[in-house]
Amino acid sequence: MNKAMPNILVYYNEAEKFAEFLKEHGCTSVKTAKTPEEALLHLPGTEIVLSWNFPSHLLAQPEAASVQWVQSTGAGIDSLVSDRTIPQNVVLTRIVDQFGGMISEYVFAYLLLHCKDIPRLLSAQANREWDKFSPGSLEGKVIGVAGLGSIGVEIVKKARAFHMKVHGLSLSGKNADIVDRHFTAADWKTFVSELDYLILTLPLTNETRHVINRDILLSMKSNACLVNVGRGSLIVERDMLEVLKEQQHLTAVLDVFEKEPLDKENPLWSLPNVYITPHLSGPSKVDEVGRFFVDNLRRFVQGSSLQGVVDRERGY
Amino acid sequence: MNKAMPNILVYYNEAEKFAEFLKEHGCTSVKTAKTPEEALLHLPGTEIVLSWNFPSHLLAQPEAASVQWVQSTGAGIDSLVSDRTIPQNVVLTRIVDQFGGMISEYVFAYLLLHCKDIPRLLSAQANREWDKFSPGSLEGKVIGVAGLGSIGVEIVKKARAFHMKVHGLSLSGKNADIVDRHFTAADWKTFVSELDYLILTLPLTNETRHVINRDILLSMKSNACLVNVGRGSLIVERDMLEVLKEQQHLTAVLDVFEKEPLDKENPLWSLPNVYITPHLSGPSKVDEVGRFFVDNLRRFVQGSSLQGVVDRERGY
């Protein structure tokens, strides 16, 4: 089945950039919206929505009856999946296989920052101090990657280049063969107890929400380092805050939070053993996401199966 | 030829740690010194010197007539090689194949710090600012490794894991096959002109001294990043200072200097586009260096050829 060039609605804070990219790539009917009100205005006749954090309740409105497909500009899609009012005939897709490179670079930037104690070096330089010490090394350290999708796989590859011991946890058992030791959801405590570095790349689902609680955090080595590049709600944030206050040799590198942007008043900002970054480890760059979407659009028009289709029951 | 267990002199700021290690490993006659005066006192009868920055003029004294071998605790040995008064029968050895792991970690710590703009993230956190931006990536960037010995080789391996384009320069043509493009000493300007990251791992010899001068620095891309983990005197420091002041998008990461420790008054400390670290990228850890030395000592006692023997003409 060959469909005519469909009507596309881009919902994004920089919607114009996407619209420009799409027009350059042959899309003739592209509208943009930045607010729910604008979106509602443009939904009638729209077949495809390209969006980050689309106001999902609109999809159940009569104005959205023509929508067949919603493409998220990100890898995480929990906010859409959790809305049960979205009609079942609307296909949800997310970006896959595009974030591994950038996110794994972010992870190793902070692993190296931590093990080389770069903050101490920056501070010594500011004071013109020749503060010679023996920095640590990643070699031989144990990294545990929770979530072995395309992001986790790229982290594992780089960990190999740093001669680390690599453990992994995946819910489905996927890619169990690429790690030295594999764990499943039943083994969280054993999994975390042996790690120098715990990296969370899991999707947020009913099974993973709040999986990192006080009990799990206290099972970690007291000088371990936790890196969250998955979703904020994988962690019980209040538990983490308490444990980080108690265990001052524990370090957390957090790119995602239960509520984003992180509140100005949140005490996490000022803990000395916490690095906060504003959800930028896996940026949704217009040209990368645009290429993924244009390729999917070609498949849509040709009637082929789309890339990154979300299984709503599984949650990602 | 089997020699009796020889007399060893350790000259080092933490000489006792080495002496303890050596005694644990079966060395029965180990003396320690921290000053030239102490060294002179212990030289008579000494066959082997294990040392960092040994006062080389002592080796030409009659008190040092029994010295057969000087093992440096570092990879660089320029200060010994440049002293022509050291008797030719004294064998000089340096540590080889031990620094690649640590130094390559240091290099990637700073490459990632630079491309992810971690200082901006640290500063935003200090101000509780959710400063979302699109960080750069190492992927596809061009790294040039000058010096393809064991340190350079390990940097090349890690660069591959980050999907970088890898150029290399080696004086001897060694390991030309592990890089995408290879250059020799005749090609410095062309070599540097295409690089996003230039990493100096060269030994200091007559051929490499001051090889990075104003002309070469101005041939670099204006937003490139120079990392020196070789020797300070590979660079004309005054030229570098001037160029870094003029080209504010150029970045330098410096672990080694013409004179160490770096003077408090040196203006390099406070340039915003310079990272200063106190010659710690490849730490001479007692146990690692100790193991290398003990293995070499076994060879010495057995009359086998030593590892890391320096060719004084070549200079390393």
Side-chain angles (χ1 to χ4, degrees), chain B residues 125-145:
Chain B
Q125 180 176 355
N127 297 318
R128 296 176 173 245
E129 272 172 23
W130 187 265
D131 172 25
K132 187 157 180 156
F133 63 94
S134 274
S137 172
L138 294 182
E139 196 165 324
K141 294 289 194 312
V142 188
I143 185 172
V145 183

Side-chain angles (χ1 to χ4, degrees), chain A residues 160-269:
Chain A
R160 295 293 181 196
F162 284 93
H163 312 293
M164 303 180 81
K165 291 177 189 144
V166 185
H167 295 186
L169 183 148
S170 56
L171 307 174
S172 59
K174 186 167 72 169
N175 286 322
D177 55 325
I178 67 167
V179 294
D180 301 326
R181 286 185 62 192
H182 183 264
F183 299 80
T184 63
D187 313 313
W188 267 102
K189 276 178 86 161
T190 322
F191 172 62
V192 304
S193 68
E194 299 175 4
L195 303 178
D196 297 300
Y197 295 96
L198 167 60
I199 321 296
L200 304 178
T201 76
L202 293 162
L204 182 62
T205 67
N206 288 335
E207 203 180 350
T208 63
R209 181 180 304 274
H210 290 171
V211 74
I212 307 293
N213 55 25
R214 182 175 176 86
D215 191 33
I216 294 290
L217 291 166
L218 290 178
S219 304
M220 293 179 72
K221 289 165 96 169
S222 62
N223 63 349
C225 176
L226 161 70
V227 182
N228 190 4
V229 288
R231 278 289 180 269
S233 298
L234 299 173
I235 304 177
V236 182
E237 223 166 67
R238 200 181 314 177
D239 287 5
M240 177 172 63
L241 181 65
E242 277 174 21
V243 173
L244 284 166
K245 281 182 180 169
E246 293 159 18
Q247 308 262 9
Q248 300 185 359
H249 295 288
L250 198 68
T251 303
V253 178
L254 307 171
D255 189 47
V256 288
F257 304 88
E258 289 191 333
K259 180 167 169 260
E260 296 176 7
L262 190 65
D263 278 338
K264 280 258 185 208
E265 292 70 32
N266 195 307
L268 282 171
W269 283 110

Side-chain angles (χ1 to χ4, degrees), chain A residues 115-172:
Chain A
C115 92
K116 298 297 176 198
D117 204 349
I118 305 273
R120 173 170 171 179
L121 291 166
L122 294 174
S123 155
Q125 179 176 355
N127 298 317
R128 295 175 174 248
E129 273 172 24
W130 188 264
D131 172 25
K132 188 158 177 156
F133 63 94
S134 275
S137 171
L138 293 183
E139 197 164 324
K141 294 288 193 315
V142 188
I143 185 172
V145 182
L148 293 171
S150 64
I151 296 168
V153 166
E154 192 57 37
I155 294 171
V156 169
K157 282 187 194 160
K158 292 198 167 76
R160 295 293 181 196
F162 284 93
H163 312 293
M164 303 180 81
K165 291 177 189 144
V166 185
H167 295 186
L169 183 148
S170 56
L171 307 174
S172 59

Side-chain angles (χ1 to χ4, degrees), chain B residues 265-314:
Chain B
E265 293 69 33
N266 195 307
L268 281 172
W269 283 111
S270 59
L271 289 193
N273 46 345
V274 175
Y275 295 100
I276 305 276
T277 62
H279 200 150
L280 50 59
S281 64
S284 303
K285 287 196 177 168
V286 168
D287 54 346
E288 290 171 8
V289 170
R291 268 194 291 275
F292 185 94
F293 176 70
V294 166
D295 178 66
N296 244 355
L297 182 63
R298 185 184 52 74
R299 292 163 183 266
F300 180 83
V301 171
Q302 291 173 350
S304 325
S305 59
L306 302 181
Q307 295 284 311
V309 171
V310 173
D311 176 337
R312 294 207 209 171
E313 283 313 307
R314 191 181 60 170

Side-chain angles (χ1 to χ4, degrees), chain A residues 285-296:
Chain A
K285 287 193 175 167
V286 168
D287 53 347
E288 290 170 8
V289 170
R291 267 194 293 275
F292 184 95
F293 176 71
V294 166
D295 177 66
N296 244 357

Side-chain angles (χ1 to χ4, degrees), chain A residues 10-39:
Chain A
V10 181
Y11 184 88
Y12 199 73
N13 57 353
E14 296 180 306
E16 291 78 11
K17 284 193 188 170
F18 270 116
E20 196 178 328
F21 181 94
L22 296 180
K23 284 174 186 164
E24 282 168 9
H25 286 76
C27 302
T28 45
S29 169
V30 182
K31 289 178 175 160
T32 62
K34 293 180 183 182
T35 63
E37 294 71 28
E38 284 176 16

